Amino acid sequence: MKSFVAICIVASISLVSYSAFSNHSQWHICPDCDQQKIIHSIDFSQSPRSDSTDQEITNVTHVLFGIGGSAKTWNTRRHYCEVWWKPNITRGFVWLDDTPADTNKWPDASPPYRISEDTSRFKYTSWYGSRSAIRIARIVKESYELRLKNVRWFVLGDDDTVFFVENLLTVLRKYDHNQMYYIGGNSESVEQDMIHSYDMAYGGGGFAISYPLATELVRVLDGCIDRYASLYGSDQKIQGCISEIGVPVTRELGFHQVDLRGDAYGFLAAHPVAPLVSLHHLDYLQPIFPGLTRVGSVKKLVQAYSADPGRTLQHSFCYDLQRNWSVSVSWGYTVQLYPKLVSSRTLETAFRTFVSWRSWSHEPFTFNTRIMSSDPCEVPVIYFMDRVQVVNESGQIVTGYAQAAKQGKLCERTEYSSAMSIQYVNVSADKLQADIWKKAPRRQCCEITDGEDEDLQVRVRDCQQWESVTPP
């Protein structure tokens, strides 16, 4: 039977290869296999050339995504995947536990799917978890065993993980894909790290495994899954297995598990100096833009990301010393205007607009936070991005930010009223070159230029020699 299944899988893959030459969108089914494999055809003309050399810079065709999904929930969660997935460009599959109810209506914008192998033979003893952790942990093995050409990195994530693929590539290019690397990020909630692990790349935030490490991992994975039967999650099991190989996690600050609840505003408005790679758990948070749905909010953020991937959510501070104003820009998302001079140490600290994942507590987190005061005179005037415009051939981009509607009592101080009169902030910047992330990290600088009565003009730029953000 195993041989017969293998023949069916090979036949299925052959059919997909045939579709690249037929240039038609169609379904390919292996009807006699004991687990049906249905694959939405891919245009493999976008896949890596068979003659590509190892000196070629890592691009999207060198990455194979493995997305953990479920046949029952895909239609309600696929919209997050479809925000970032590009058919015929991105490579990979969403791995399901069963055949979808209506295979003829599999969305064209979704990744193609595969059905995971049966995992009933494995042990699972976590009393509060789900056996699906075994199936999802084995995605890396099943992806590897497809033997697709020119794969350098296996990137694993959930069906509600939003990847920012250009920034993911920027991060991966920092590392030698011929070495064994395990790249990702921790949870933001300390309680989650304490319960699960500080030494693990969290699966919802996504993580990357280089091909050489995958080669070692798949050799030990099945036996390892049984050895770690008591562990709750797929990411825990994978980390346990990689620990046996001896490879530690390489932390990258742009992978975001987002183990937070409530309003992620403060977290996103104080992004670290690192490319934004992923966001997770968006269904458990308020929409990140007011007045939009959760998915609509992500699409709006992607508008800015599409114009300048590396600059998305990057932080800059500057001052208007004539009016004693402080401005904090989180590019592509929000601007905060303070009618007073505020230190950069304070400005780079996230407002605590959220609570922890498990206990819904106000602390602790793995990054610095500050209280969002209930006093209307102690909080900034907040603006949200509402437009992105490329203004000239040099690639300069202007993002516009409209003042958010104020709720509750307004501050009646003169200086605050003056700041409130600014209805709109325009932020101009040259496109951020990806090579900047090969250098030592440094937050970019900004300056306030002339504006009209109801508008503020801000220019984000490289910092000059000897420049620092130092109010008098």
Side-chain angles (χ1 to χ4, degrees):
M1 176 60 74
K2 290 182 178 179
S3 298
F4 187 58
V5 172
I7 291 170
C8 288
I9 294 174
V10 170
S12 177
I13 295 173
S14 298
L15 283 169
V16 176
S17 300
Y18 174 77
S19 71
F21 295 98
S22 65
N23 198 31
H24 293 293
S25 178
Q26 53 186 297
W27 295 93
H28 303 295
I29 305 174
C30 179
D32 298 320
C33 294
D34 59 355
Q35 291 199 45
Q36 200 173 57
K37 309 284 185 181
I38 305 178
I39 311 170
H40 192 209
S41 63
I42 304 174
D43 179 3
F44 278 98
S45 65
Q46 299 294 332
S47 298
R49 303 193 315 272
S50 59
D51 61 346
S52 64
T53 66
D54 194 57
Q55 285 71 41
E56 184 181 6
I57 188 172
T58 294
N59 59 60
V60 68
T61 63
H62 294 124
V63 176
L64 188 65
F65 288 95
I67 307 302
S70 167
K72 292 182 179 179
T73 61
W74 179 251
N75 276 335
T76 60
R77 305 187 80 173
R78 64 182 174 85
H79 304 289
Y80 289 116
C81 252
E82 291 173 354
V83 168
W84 63 270
W85 184 265
K86 294 183 179 179
N88 301 325
I89 296 176
T90 38
R91 304 173 75 198
F93 303 92
V94 55
W95 292 82
L96 303 178
D97 50 356
D98 202 355
T99 303
D102 190 347
T103 58
N104 293 321
K105 292 185 178 179
W106 185 259
D108 291 338
S110 291
Y113 72 85
R114 288 260 180 167
I115 310 302
S116 299
E117 294 180 9
D118 177 57
T119 59
S120 59
R121 67 185 185 278
F122 293 96
K123 294 186 294 184
Y124 186 80
T125 60
S126 174
W127 62 270
Y128 62 97
S130 167
R131 285 189 60 86
S132 62
I134 299 170
R135 180 180 68 83
I136 294 172
R138 294 188 79 254
I139 286 175
V140 64
K141 180 179 175 70
E142 294 189 74
S143 297
Y144 182 92
E145 290 176 344
L146 295 175
R147 303 289 182 181
L148 299 182
K149 290 183 178 181
N150 296 321
V151 175
R152 295 181 179 180
W153 296 94
F154 295 90
V155 174
L156 289 303
D158 288 352
D159 53 5
D160 62 341
T161 304
V162 176
F163 284 106
F164 297 83
V165 178
E166 287 300 317
N167 290 341
L168 170 66
L169 293 172
T170 295
V171 168
L172 296 182
R173 287 171 188 147
K174 293 166 55 179
Y175 302 98
D176 181 357
H177 62 273
N178 294 305
Q179 303 296 316
M180 291 195 292
Y181 277 107
Y182 167 48
I183 303 172
N186 290 135
S187 171
E188 296 79 11
S189 292
V190 169
E191 59 193 21
Q192 289 294 95
D193 289 322
M194 290 179 65
I195 293 170
H196 298 295
S197 178
Y198 282 98
D199 299 322
M200 179 179 80
Y202 279 65
F207 55 87
I209 295 175
S210 64
Y211 194 93
L213 178 55
T215 301
E216 290 293 315
L217 178 61
V218 299
R219 182 177 60 84
V220 301
L221 185 63
D222 285 352
C224 186
I225 285 174
D226 276 343
R227 286 192 292 278
Y228 294 106
S230 63
L231 295 182
Y232 164 82
S234 59
D235 44 10
Q236 284 180 292
K237 296 176 187 296
I238 288 176
Q239 188 276 328
C241 301
I242 292 177
S243 176
E244 293 185 359
I245 298 170
V247 177
V249 62
T250 297
R251 292 181 180 85
E252 282 285 346
L253 298 178
F255 288 86
H256 297 303
Q257 172 75 6
V258 198
D259 277 342
L260 308 171
R261 296 183 188 271
D263 186 353
Y265 174 80
F267 172 70
L268 297 176
H271 195 272
V273 184
L276 171 65
V277 175
S278 66
L279 293 173
H280 182 231
H281 276 157
L282 294 170
D283 266 346
Y284 297 88
L285 295 160
Q286 296 174 19
I288 62 176
F289 282 97
L292 297 177
T293 65
R294 293 180 174 91
V295 175
S297 290
V298 178
K299 289 180 178 179
K300 188 169 186 177
L301 183 63
V302 168
Q303 289 177 10
Y305 161 79
S306 298
D308 195 347
R311 195 179 290 283
T312 307
L313 295 189
Q314 294 307 299
H315 221 168
S316 297
F317 317 139
C318 45
Y319 300 99
D320 182 331
L321 298 181
Q322 291 184 338
R323 292 178 284 193
N324 285 340
W325 285 358
S326 304
V327 173
S328 170
V329 176
S330 179
W331 192 90
Y333 181 50
T334 188
V335 170
Q336 297 169 0
L337 172 58
Y338 297 78
K340 57 184 177 181
L341 297 180
V342 183
S343 72
S344 62
R345 189 176 185 275
T346 298
L347 293 175
E348 71 182 5
T349 303
F351 277 121
R352 201 182 309 148
T353 58
F354 42 80
V355 294
S356 64
W357 176 257
R358 180 176 294 269
S359 63
W360 298 62
S361 300
H362 293 289
E363 58 184 1
F365 301 98
T366 58
F367 53 94
N368 295 324
T369 62
R370 53 182 167 135
I371 295 173
M372 187 77 151
S373 176
S374 58
D375 183 347
C377 297
E378 293 300 320
V379 296
V381 182
I382 292 175
Y383 304 79
F384 284 99
M385 189 202 74
D386 73 346
R387 69 182 178 92
V388 183
Q389 180 183 4
V390 179
V391 296
N392 56 40
E393 293 181 358
S394 67
Q396 187 178 87
I397 299 166
V398 174
T399 46
Y401 304 77
Q403 187 179 136
K406 289 293 270 185
Q407 297 180 352
K409 185 179 179 181
L410 299 179
C411 179
E412 297 179 356
R413 294 177 186 171
T414 302
E415 65 271 21
Y416 201 91
S417 299
S418 177
M420 282 287 293
S421 68
I422 301 296
Q423 297 296 312
Y424 208 80
V425 179
N426 289 304
V427 178
S428 62
D430 293 330
K431 187 170 183 179
L432 194 71
Q433 299 302 310
D435 285 350
I436 198 171
W437 299 113
K438 296 179 181 178
K439 302 175 183 179
R442 185 183 184 184
R443 186 180 61 239
Q444 286 211 304
C445 293
C446 69
E447 58 190 2
I448 297 172
T449 60
D450 292 338
E452 299 179 4
D453 290 343
E454 295 185 351
D455 289 354
L456 191 67
Q457 309 294 326
V458 177
R459 167 76 175 158
V460 177
R461 53 170 174 75
D462 292 334
C463 297
Q464 300 171 3
Q465 189 176 22
W466 316 122
E467 184 173 6
S468 64
V469 183
T470 309

